[in-house]
């Protein structure tokens, strides 16, 4: 299933993150960067645990390069702990004509419950708006209630299903208009 901010453990990712602060440093990287790959694999393992299989929705690394999108890794004290990305989309939602889809939102378990997913989401909104995106859309799964709560509490609203999981009973789609005055 899609984007959701889920918990997951992979070799090297599940280790305890010891930090004296929650100063999240967000860097734009390629989806093929080693830290990005590590975290994407961790979220895939979480999908297997929650849904019985990996997220099969098509991903093309070029979708996260200029001018189509961006991929980010968040670091605490140099340790990769979070990911988030957006890619331009053909989905029309909430009256917006120019949209992007949120992908690969994830925070490692050792760094959860610190507001890092909310900070990454805000970063995605800001960077997408700066590129002329009018609204963000996303898909997540019903077995990711923490992700659904994050999106609802961040101003996202339900929209009709789209994409690879459009007809799945386990899928939920959300969108949010981006207004520069809100960001």
């Amino acid at each position: 299933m899609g984007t959701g901010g889920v918990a997951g453990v992979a070799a090297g990712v599940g280790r305890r993150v010891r930090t004296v602060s929650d100063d999240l440093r967000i860097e734009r990287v390629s989806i093929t960067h080693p830290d990005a790959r590590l975290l994407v694999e961790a979220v895939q393992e979480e999908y297997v645990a929650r849904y019985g299989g990996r997220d099969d929705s098509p991903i093309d690394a070029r979708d996260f390069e200029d001018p189509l999108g961006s991929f980010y890794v968040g670091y605490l004290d140099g340790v990769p702990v979070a990911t988030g990305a957006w890619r331009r989309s053909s989905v029309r939602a909430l009256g917006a004509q120019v949209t992007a889809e949120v992908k690969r939102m994830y925070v490692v378990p050792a760094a959860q419950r610190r507001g890092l997913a909310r900070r990454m989401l805000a970063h995605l909104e800001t960077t997408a708006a700066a590129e002329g995106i009018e609204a963000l859309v996303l898909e997540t799964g019903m077995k990711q209630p923490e992700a659904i709560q994050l999106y609802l509490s961040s101003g996202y609203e339900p929209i009709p299903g789209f994409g690879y999981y459009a007809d799945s009973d386990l899928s939920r789609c959300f969108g949010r208009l981006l207004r520069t005055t809100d960001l």
Side-chain angles (χ1 to χ4, degrees):
M1 294 268 110
T3 63
V6 298
V9 178
V13 175
R15 69 181 178 265
R16 191 64 154 148
V17 175
R18 294 195 171 112
T19 181
V20 288
S21 69
D22 279 344
D23 290 333
L24 184 68
R25 179 176 47 89
I26 299 174
E27 288 186 18
R28 184 173 182 190
V29 300
S30 167
I31 193 172
T32 61
H33 184 281
D35 292 340
R37 285 181 181 230
L38 181 71
L39 293 168
V40 167
E41 184 56 32
V43 76
Q44 288 289 4
E45 290 178 15
E46 184 61 28
Y47 296 146
V48 170
R50 291 193 189 205
Y51 297 100
R54 296 169 70 85
D55 177 2
D56 291 331
S57 61
I59 295 285
D60 184 335
R62 294 173 293 191
D63 288 346
F64 302 100
E65 297 172 4
D66 285 333
L68 301 177
S70 295
F71 194 97
Y72 300 93
V73 171
Y75 296 87
L76 288 178
D77 292 337
V79 177
V81 297
T83 60
W86 60 265
R87 66 180 178 186
R88 292 185 185 269
S89 173
S90 62
V91 173
R92 299 294 170 251
L94 307 173
Q97 297 301 306
V98 182
T99 65
E101 181 182 9
V102 173
K103 295 298 290 179
R104 298 302 184 247
M105 281 284 298
Y106 177 71
V107 175
V108 300
Q112 290 176 359
R113 299 190 188 4
R114 298 182 190 185
L116 303 182
R118 189 171 304 280
R119 288 171 61 191
M120 179 64 79
L121 184 60
H123 183 78
L124 298 179
E125 292 168 350
T126 299
T127 58
E131 294 299 321
I133 303 300
E134 298 171 358
L136 286 178
V137 297
L138 62 91
E139 180 274 333
T140 194
M142 288 298 295
K143 294 183 179 182
Q144 296 164 253
E146 66 280 20
I148 292 171
Q149 180 56 38
L150 169 69
Y151 299 129
L152 289 173
S153 68
S154 297
Y156 286 75
E157 57 188 89
I159 62 171
F162 66 88
Y164 189 81
Y165 294 107
D167 297 322
S168 171
D169 291 337
L170 291 176
S171 178
R172 294 298 178 267
C173 294
F174 298 91
R176 180 175 187 260
L177 288 173
L178 300 179
R179 296 181 183 94
T180 42
T181 56
D182 292 343
L183 300 175

